[in-house]
Amino acid sequence: MGFGFIIFAGAQLLRLPMASESGQSTSFIDALFTATSATCVTGLVVFDTGTYFSTFGHWVILVLIQIGGIGFMTMATLFALILRRRISLKERLILQESLNQGSIEGLVRLVRKVILFALAIESVGAVLFTIRFMFDMNIGQAIYHGVFHSISIFNNAGFDLTGDFRSLTGYSSDLYMNVVSMGLIILGGFGFIVLADLFEIRRKRKFSLHTKVVLSVTALLVVSGTLIIFLFEFTNGRSFGNNGIGHKILISLFQSVTTRSGGVTTVDITEFRQATQFFIIILMFIGASPGSTGGGIKTTTFAVLVGAVLAMIRGKEDVVLFRLRLAQERVYKAVTVTLFCIGIVMLGTMLLATTEDAAFLTILFEATSAFGTVGLSMGLTGELSFTGKLTIIFLMFIGRLGPLTLTYALGPKPGRMLYRHAEGKMIIG
């Protein structure tokens, strides 16, 4: 309900004539789409953000991105702390689910760290971007663009002000811009729990299992993604052109990183080979990590699924990661999340295939990008019908909330089991 209220409030503000550069009112469905994309930190747009919206519209989008990225409950807790209001037990329990924590202990302290980390990283990113933009524009515009892009990219929102739907294609060979952007995407995709763990490594002297899994799986996906994209596109003159091998590696690395839920790109995705586009769909479906600004089934879910498969192949009963056994409940949760997400993406894809006239891979790409709150597009978003826009809005909203959050909110509350059924045998595989 909180996210829904923020989205509708943002849509009303974006409908105002002062929010558009032309001074004309934006239709409700387009304003709602933009507000949902910003609040759900996705980045899919029906209008070019840099040229269509005014400065007022940009700031509305930026505020929505910040609230959506940090999280509605985190922002609500922040305002409660500012007003010196006591956080109730019920609010702590909701906050626990919002931040994917195992207990309510130290939640308020974690919220303070979340706000501190976000503002600190965004501030550093804004300074670094401003320095680069000063070579292309006056200092006022450079600061404005630096702040906007830092907040947008750290929160994995994918909105940009470069104009003409270009994203960062003008900086594909700029090592400085690539490194800063990838750094912000990765830090935003780690999740605030991991950032807190990294910050306290000197005191704790060891990482938690969660942090180990997030760091290792993220590194694995980024490296393997870079390698596969590089191999698939190496001879593709339409995407990589006649660039040198170093430039091609940089492009491959950036595309691999941005699938974590970044949403910005340095090349035209539509020029990739179909095999590359399908591989990007897989990476977008996995997404970022729990408690982060990104979407997808999350890196930890992927790790548990792989661990379960390996355990089954080896004939082991327990799923073991870094010499620690996982509770069976965690494995069930990972399977549930994955199947739920596959079902939602399939439903969204079927609806879009019914209402939109486009190739199936393009539709699947757009649906997965929306659900994973990634924001990469193959050009379908700008041509969506009214029903198609509603479908993408639904996918973005569910993707940001998370399927289990929605299930827990709308489903029946579990009661105590008074009995167990007799065990049955069934052939699998």
Side-chain angles (χ1 to χ4, degrees), residues 62-73:
L62 207 59
V63 170
L64 293 176
I65 289 171
Q66 190 71 86
I67 295 174
I70 292 178
F72 172 76
M73 280 305 302

Side-chain angles (χ1 to χ4, degrees), residues 38-39 41 59-72 74-75 114-115 118-119 122 147 150-152 154-155 157 192 293 400:
T39 308
V41 288
W59 281 106
V60 171
I61 291 172
L62 207 59
V63 170
L64 293 176
I65 289 171
Q66 190 71 86
I67 295 174
I70 292 178
F72 172 76
T74 305
M75 292 297 293
V114 166
I115 303 297
L119 293 179
E122 288 170 354
V147 171
S150 179
I151 294 174
S152 175
F154 171 71
N155 287 289
F192 296 108
T293 58
R400 183 65 185 97

Side-chain angles (χ1 to χ4, degrees), residues 228-242:
I228 292 174
I229 292 173
F230 178 78
L231 292 175
F232 283 175
E233 296 298 317
F234 184 76
T235 58
N236 188 356
R238 291 180 301 173
S239 60
F240 278 10
N242 297 318

Side-chain angles (χ1 to χ4, degrees), residues 191-202:
F192 296 108
I193 298 102
V194 174
L195 292 178
D197 220 11
L198 291 171
F199 185 75
E200 296 178 353
I201 185 59
R202 289 188 177 181

Side-chain angles (χ1 to χ4, degrees), residues 390-407:
L390 288 179
T391 303
I392 293 293
I393 287 171
F394 167 78
L395 288 170
M396 291 189 293
F397 187 72
I398 299 302
R400 183 65 185 97
L401 284 183
L404 284 187
T405 300
L406 192 71
T407 305

Side-chain angles (χ1 to χ4, degrees), residues 91-132:
E91 289 168 338
R92 289 172 188 265
L93 290 170
I94 298 172
L95 191 62
Q96 175 191 345
E97 288 298 321
S98 175
L99 294 173
N100 286 290
Q101 292 296 289
S103 69
I104 62 173
E105 183 182 357
L107 278 177
V108 176
R109 193 162 57 248
L110 178 59
V111 167
R112 292 195 184 100
K113 289 180 181 178
V114 166
I115 303 297
L116 178 64
F117 289 147
L119 293 179
I121 295 171
E122 288 170 354
S123 298
V124 172
V127 171
L128 295 175
F129 274 136
T130 299
I131 293 172
R132 176 60 185 85

Side-chain angles (χ1 to χ4, degrees), residues 96-97 100-102 290 297 300-301 304-305 327-341 403-405 408:
Q96 175 191 345
E97 288 298 321
N100 286 290
Q101 292 296 289
I297 63 171
T300 49
T301 304
V304 173
L305 290 176
Q328 201 171 38
E329 173 213 352
R330 297 291 168 182
V331 180
Y332 285 151
K333 189 172 183 180
V335 173
T336 303
V337 166
T338 304
L339 291 178
F340 206 119
C341 292
L404 284 187
T405 300
Y408 290 154

Side-chain angles (χ1 to χ4, degrees), residues 23-331:
Q24 296 180 342
S25 179
T26 303
S27 67
F28 177 72
I29 184 63
D30 290 333
L32 180 66
F33 189 99
T34 305
T36 305
S37 184
T39 308
C40 298
V41 288
T42 304
L44 292 174
V45 291
V46 288
F47 302 118
D48 180 72
T49 308
T51 56
Y52 181 85
F53 291 103
S54 64
T55 302
F56 174 77
H58 293 160
W59 281 106
V60 171
I61 291 172
L62 207 59
V63 170
L64 293 176
I65 289 171
Q66 190 71 86
I67 295 174
I70 292 178
F72 172 76
M73 280 305 302
T74 305
M75 292 297 293
T77 305
L78 173 63
F79 284 116
L81 293 174
I82 292 173
L83 298 173
R84 297 184 180 277
R85 188 174 68 82
R86 187 174 177 273
I87 311 299
S88 68
L89 176 61
K90 182 180 180 180
E91 289 168 338
R92 289 172 188 265
L93 290 170
I94 298 172
L95 191 62
Q96 175 191 345
E97 288 298 321
S98 175
L99 294 173
N100 286 290
Q101 292 296 289
S103 69
I104 62 173
E105 183 182 357
L107 278 177
V108 176
R109 193 162 57 248
L110 178 59
V111 167
R112 292 195 184 100
K113 289 180 181 178
V114 166
I115 303 297
L116 178 64
F117 289 147
L119 293 179
I121 295 171
E122 288 170 354
S123 298
V124 172
V127 171
L128 295 175
F129 274 136
T130 299
I131 293 172
R132 176 60 185 85
F133 286 132
M134 284 173 62
F135 290 94
D136 301 330
M137 56 193 76
N138 63 56
I139 187 167
Q141 288 180 312
I143 294 173
Y144 182 65
H145 278 66
V147 171
F148 187 96
H149 287 93
S150 179
I151 294 174
S152 175
I153 293 177
F154 171 71
N155 287 289
N156 285 200
F159 283 82
D160 65 85
L161 302 179
T162 54
D164 298 325
F165 299 99
R166 288 182 297 137
S167 193
L168 299 181
T169 53
Y171 300 95
S172 66
S173 60
D174 192 318
L175 182 62
Y176 181 90
M177 279 291 288
N178 276 261
V179 170
V180 173
S181 299
M182 287 188 291
L184 289 173
I185 292 171
I186 291 172
L187 288 174
F190 273 161
F192 296 108
I193 298 102
V194 174
L195 292 178
D197 220 11
L198 291 171
F199 185 75
E200 296 178 353
I201 185 59
R202 289 188 177 181
R203 183 174 62 86
K204 292 183 176 180
R205 296 192 177 277
K206 66 176 182 178
F207 290 135
S208 65
L209 175 62
H210 173 81
T211 299
K212 290 178 182 178
V213 171
V214 168
L215 293 177
S216 58
V217 174
T218 299
L220 176 65
L221 291 174
V222 168
V223 172
S224 60
T226 302
L227 180 62
I228 292 174
I229 292 173
F230 178 78
L231 292 175
F232 283 175
E233 296 298 317
F234 184 76
T235 58
N236 188 356
R238 291 180 301 173
S239 60
F240 278 10
N242 297 318
N243 300 308
I245 190 169
H247 189 185
K248 291 181 178 180
I249 293 173
L250 182 62
I251 293 174
S252 302
L253 177 61
F254 192 94
Q255 305 320 305
S256 179
V257 169
T258 199
T259 57
R260 300 270 64 71
S261 200
V264 287
T265 180
T266 56
V267 291
D268 187 358
I269 300 292
T270 60
E271 299 296 344
F272 279 162
R273 292 190 170 104
Q274 288 189 348
T276 311
Q277 293 168 349
F278 186 73
F279 178 68
I280 289 175
I281 289 173
I282 296 172
L283 292 179
M284 291 193 299
F285 185 74
I286 296 172
S289 302
S292 72
T293 58
I297 63 171
K298 304 295 190 293
T299 52
T300 49
T301 304
F302 177 70
V304 173
L305 290 176
V306 173
V309 171
L310 292 177
M312 178 62 69
I313 292 173
R314 294 170 180 171
K316 306 289 186 181
E317 288 188 8
D318 297 327
V319 176
V320 178
L321 298 175
F322 291 97
R323 298 184 179 181
L324 291 173
R325 174 177 55 84
L326 296 181
Q328 201 171 38
E329 173 213 352
R330 297 291 168 182
V331 180

